[in-house]
Every structure is written in C-alpha cells, then in structure tokens.
C-alpha cells in the first residue's frame, strides 16, 4: 500500500513538473505548482521518504510563499496556497505549544476573512473547530464563542455544548465538593 502511494504521488509530482516545464507561462501553472507541492508533502510523510525534516518543510513553505506573492496568481490558487501553508505550519501542534496554537487561530481567522468563500473554507472551519474543542487556550475559547454565535447551526450547537462542558469542569475544579452520607458500616461521613 505504501509503495502504491509512493508511485501515485510520484506520478502526480512528475506530471505537474512536466506541465510546468512544457508550459511555463500557462495560467494553470499555479495549479500545477500546488499539485507538485502537495504531492511532495504527501511523499515526505510516507515511511522511507527521501525528503524529510525541517529543510524540506521550509522549502515547501518558500514555494507556497512564491505563489501567495505572485501578482498574476488567481485567487483560487492563492487560497489553496494559504490553506496549505497554514496546515503545514500547524503540523505537530499540541497543548504544550501555545505559540503554535495562537498562530494557528490567528492564521485560520485571517484565511477565513480573506477566503471565506473558497472551496477549502469549510475544511478550515472544521479544522479550527476541532482544534478549539481539543485544546484549552484563550484562543480556542474565543474560537468556540465565535462558533457558538455563528450561522452554522450544527457547529453553533456543538460549540455551545463544549463551552458548557468546560464551564462545568472549571466549577468542579474550583469549588469544593460537598459530600455527606452514611457509610456501609454506619459511620457518618462529611
């Protein structure tokens, strides 16, 4: 299965690179560049990948930035590049990396403000919600409140439930638990 994936993504990358070589001025070149970058990213994540590590990641980010800064790149390609950049930057994010969490919520909010109608916007909203539900931070709390007040009824309800659950947990952690009962052996416990 891994060898099939390597062949598949390798073929995609090779086809995109061949298109770029044959048609360097074609308006679709940005879509081809994105396909090549996405294929490279997928290949780098497979076991035994020849391109791995921080250097490869930085190289991908530089290529994405070239698309984002290209004056002739179509809005759809820029939106896809912005999405890909955010997802690459968020790799390995966890509760202990507060600076990464803050950066993700800022970048994803900027993406949705700029590319709210892009075909990848729903996936960005879902990823944003998922991280907000999994990680407790000021940014995730703000994102959940934003979702709770939003127009998507499914996400609004889920966000309200998550906020209520978090509030209940805060109360349980901060208030003493009042227990008073008679034990099995007849002693009063208070």
């Amino acid at each position: 299965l891994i060898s099939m994936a390597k062949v598949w993504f390798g073929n995609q990358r090779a086809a995109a690179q061949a298109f770029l070589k044959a048609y360097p001025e074609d308006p679709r070149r940005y879509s081809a560049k994105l396909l090549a970058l996405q294929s490279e990213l997928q290949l780098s994540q497979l076991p035994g990948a020849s391109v791995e590590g921080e250097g490869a990641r930085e190289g991908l980010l530089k290529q994405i930035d070239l698309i984002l800064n290209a004056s002739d790149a179509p809005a759809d390609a820029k939106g896809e590049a912005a999405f890909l950049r955010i997802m690459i930057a968020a790799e390995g994010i966890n509760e202990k990396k507060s600076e990464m969490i803050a950066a993700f919520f800022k970048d994803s909010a900027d993406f949705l403000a700029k590319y709210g109608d892009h075909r990848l916007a729903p996936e960005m909203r879902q990823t944003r919600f998922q991280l907000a539900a999994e990680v407790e931070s000021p940014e995730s709390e703000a994102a959940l409140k934003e979702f709770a007040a939003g127009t998507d009824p499914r996400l609004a309800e889920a966000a309200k439930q998550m906020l209520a659950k978090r509030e209940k947990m805060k109360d349980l952690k901060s208030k003493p638990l009042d227990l008073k009962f008679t034990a099995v052996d007849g002693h009063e416990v208070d």
Side-chain angles (χ1 to χ4, degrees):
L1 189 59
I2 292 173
S3 62
M4 287 174 46
K6 286 180 181 179
V7 169
W8 171 260
F9 292 120
N11 288 342
Q12 282 187 330
R13 179 181 58 190
Q17 289 170 338
F19 179 88
L20 289 167
K21 187 175 182 181
Y23 308 101
E25 298 304 316
D26 190 289
R28 297 169 292 179
R29 70 186 177 277
Y30 293 105
S31 294
K33 286 179 183 183
L34 284 164
L35 179 61
L37 290 171
Q38 289 168 343
S39 298
E40 190 66 36
L41 180 62
Q42 294 296 330
L43 284 167
S44 72
Q45 294 175 350
L46 293 173
S50 60
V51 179
E52 293 181 8
E54 191 66 25
R57 182 177 172 268
E58 290 305 315
L60 288 171
L61 291 174
K62 284 180 184 177
Q63 292 298 313
I64 290 168
D65 287 343
L66 289 174
I67 295 169
L68 288 170
N69 295 320
S71 61
D72 62 337
D76 186 63
K78 285 188 175 199
E80 188 172 341
F83 178 88
L84 189 58
R85 187 176 212 311
I86 293 167
M87 292 304 160
I88 290 171
E91 283 181 1
I93 200 169
N94 64 44
E95 281 189 38
K96 295 177 182 161
K97 297 183 178 180
S98 60
E99 69 284 347
M100 286 181 77
I101 293 168
F104 172 81
F105 281 111
K106 181 195 176 305
D107 293 345
S108 62
D110 292 347
F111 173 88
L112 291 170
K114 189 170 185 176
Y115 302 105
D117 294 332
H118 192 276
R119 62 187 163 74
L120 292 172
E123 188 174 341
M124 181 61 75
R125 282 185 201 90
Q126 186 61 41
T127 303
R128 188 173 163 81
F129 179 81
Q130 187 175 0
L131 185 63
E134 291 174 5
V135 175
E136 288 191 41
S137 72
E139 296 84 7
S140 66
E141 192 83 9
L144 285 173
K145 288 177 181 175
E146 188 180 302
F147 281 114
T151 58
D152 183 333
R154 183 181 57 88
L155 284 178
E157 183 58 34
K160 288 174 187 173
Q161 289 176 3
M162 181 59 64
L163 288 167
K165 179 181 173 184
R166 286 186 180 178
E167 191 61 37
K168 187 174 184 177
M169 291 303 290
K170 282 180 193 174
D171 286 347
L172 287 174
K173 290 178 182 178
S174 64
K175 295 179 183 175
L177 187 57
D178 200 15
L179 289 176
K180 187 174 184 176
F181 61 92
T182 304
V184 176
D185 63 2
H187 289 90
E188 294 295 321
V189 176
D190 189 351

